[in-house]
């Protein structure tokens, strides 16, 4: 008889209930707190303001733009890993993991130098003659997307590397012998096999980006407001905890909808190449 593994799950279940499920339940309960009892007034107050609705859309757009940026950079790096020898593979994994050992705060403040008027981006554009003078990408959405793409890039590279390391390198030879070019081999052979890892990476990148308060506040500045900044304002400045809880629940709900869609796609056998 096979031994049940349930006892080994008990510590994880206890920690999940104590430090995730219970605080989340309290957050949801707080979001319904009104002056005269439980009500939906906090949700109505948040969703009824057009400014808040635009902030919600800005947060979703930032997450999707970062997902696009990490995908465009992550796929070539993962393919380079697949075609490389052992030493190059070790170098790619090392360079991918090293940034994750550094605090997000440190990486965010490093981007202040990179995006500033005297930073390497501004200097490079001036040396190429693309700008007439120094420019700053600080407090712009483009600068924020660049920073978030670099910070979250390991979250999409690692799942891709994990799935590609299990594929034989001669996998594409049959398609190439049949006359398929590199682009068609990538689209018809490699991309379907990489899709489960891409979906997992997209989930991680979107969730990380939409909740990254420090980077959004430092790089985006006061002109680019996102949902985590609204929550901080309600808690730290206005001390309106019920409204802050409602905003947090809305952020969780909108993020959860996207994660649910991506999770359903990852279970689609034909889409991920098992049909």
């Amino acid at each position: 008889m096979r031994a049940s593994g349930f006892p080994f799950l008990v510590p994880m279940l206890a920690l999940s209930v104590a430090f995730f499920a219970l605080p989340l339940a309290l957050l949801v309960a707080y979001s319904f707190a009104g002056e005269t009892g439980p009500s939906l007034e906090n949700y109505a107050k948040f969703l009824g303001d057009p400014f808040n609705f635009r902030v919600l859309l800005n947060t979703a757009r930032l997450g999707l733009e970062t997902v696009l940026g990490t995908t465009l950079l992550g796929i070539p790096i993962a393919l380079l890993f697949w075609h490389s020898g052992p030493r190059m593979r070790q170098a790619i994994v090392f360079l991918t993991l090293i940034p994750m050992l550094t605090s997000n705060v440190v990486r965010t403040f490093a981007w202040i130098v990179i995006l500033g008027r005297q930073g390497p981006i501004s200097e490079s554009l001036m040396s190429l003659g693309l700008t007439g003078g120094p420019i700053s990408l600080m407090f712009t959405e483009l600068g924020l997307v660049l920073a978030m793409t670099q910070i979250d890039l390991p979250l999409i590279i690692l799942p891709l590397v994990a799935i590609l390391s299990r594929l034989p390198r001669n996998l594409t030879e049959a398609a190439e012998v049949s006359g398929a070019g590199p682009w068609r081999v990538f689209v018809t052979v490699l991309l379907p096999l990489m899709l489960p890892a891409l979906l997992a990476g997209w989930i991680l990148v979107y969730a990380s980006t939409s909740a990254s308060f420090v980077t959004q506040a430092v790089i985006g500045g006061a002109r680019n407001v996102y949902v985590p900044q609204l929550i901080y304002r309600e808690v730290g400045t206005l001390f309106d905890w019920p409204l802050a809880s409602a905003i947090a629940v809305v952020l969780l709900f909108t993020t959860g909808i996207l994660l649910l869609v991506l999770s359903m796609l990852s279970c689609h056998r034909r889409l991920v190449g098992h049909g």
Side-chain angles (χ1 to χ4, degrees):
M1 178 182 289
R2 297 179 58 184
S4 173
F6 181 75
F8 297 99
L9 295 177
V10 171
M12 186 183 72
L13 289 174
L15 289 174
S16 298
V17 171
F19 297 109
F20 178 72
L22 186 58
L24 185 60
L26 291 174
L27 181 74
V28 174
Y30 244 116
S31 69
F32 290 104
E35 295 181 357
T36 58
S39 70
L40 294 173
E41 64 182 76
N42 295 314
Y43 291 96
K45 184 178 179 181
F46 174 68
L47 296 175
D49 190 334
F51 173 77
N52 293 335
F53 195 70
R54 285 199 302 273
V55 170
L56 199 59
L57 291 179
N58 289 343
T59 306
R61 187 178 66 241
L62 175 65
L64 294 176
E65 289 172 345
T66 306
V67 165
L68 178 62
T70 53
T71 303
L72 293 178
L73 289 177
I75 288 178
I77 295 174
L79 291 177
L80 176 63
F81 171 88
W82 189 50
H83 286 288
S84 300
R87 290 191 176 182
M88 179 60 81
R89 286 188 171 197
Q90 291 176 359
I92 292 173
V93 172
F94 177 76
L95 293 174
T96 302
L97 291 176
I98 278 295
M100 298 185 72
L101 302 178
T102 308
S103 167
N104 273 2
V105 177
V106 175
R107 283 187 281 173
T108 297
F109 279 92
W111 272 98
I112 294 177
V113 178
I114 296 172
L115 299 174
R117 294 174 64 86
Q118 306 301 325
I121 293 179
S122 177
E123 296 287 344
S124 299
L125 292 176
M126 282 194 299
S127 62
L128 293 173
L130 298 178
T131 59
I135 62 169
S136 174
L137 293 178
M138 283 295 296
F139 313 132
T140 65
E141 186 166 312
L142 175 60
L144 181 56
V145 171
L146 290 175
M148 292 305 310
T149 297
Q150 186 274 328
I151 290 172
D152 289 337
L153 189 58
L155 300 180
I156 205 165
I157 290 179
L158 293 178
L160 286 173
V161 164
I163 205 166
L164 286 176
S165 61
R166 297 199 298 266
L167 300 180
R169 297 190 193 184
N170 58 359
L171 179 69
T172 59
E173 289 181 359
E176 292 173 348
V177 169
S178 302
W183 177 250
R184 190 166 184 180
V185 170
F186 171 74
V187 172
T188 59
V189 179
L190 290 177
L191 190 58
L193 294 172
M194 294 163 59
L195 200 51
L198 280 175
L199 291 170
W202 290 344
I203 291 173
L204 294 173
V205 170
Y206 184 87
S208 172
T209 301
S210 60
S212 182
F213 167 74
V214 173
T215 309
Q216 292 174 5
V218 174
I219 304 295
R223 288 183 299 178
N224 300 287
V225 181
Y226 301 96
V227 173
Q229 293 163 272
L230 280 185
I231 297 173
Y232 177 79
R233 185 192 66 181
E234 297 298 330
V235 172
T237 304
L238 302 177
F239 303 105
D240 193 344
W241 286 57
L243 180 57
S245 301
I247 299 172
V249 171
V250 171
L251 177 62
L252 283 173
F253 180 77
T254 54
T255 304
I257 291 293
L258 181 63
L259 302 189
L260 179 63
V261 171
L262 292 177
S263 299
M264 291 174 65
L265 290 177
S266 67
C267 296
H268 197 289
R269 295 181 62 83
R270 290 182 61 84
L271 185 62
V272 298
H274 297 301

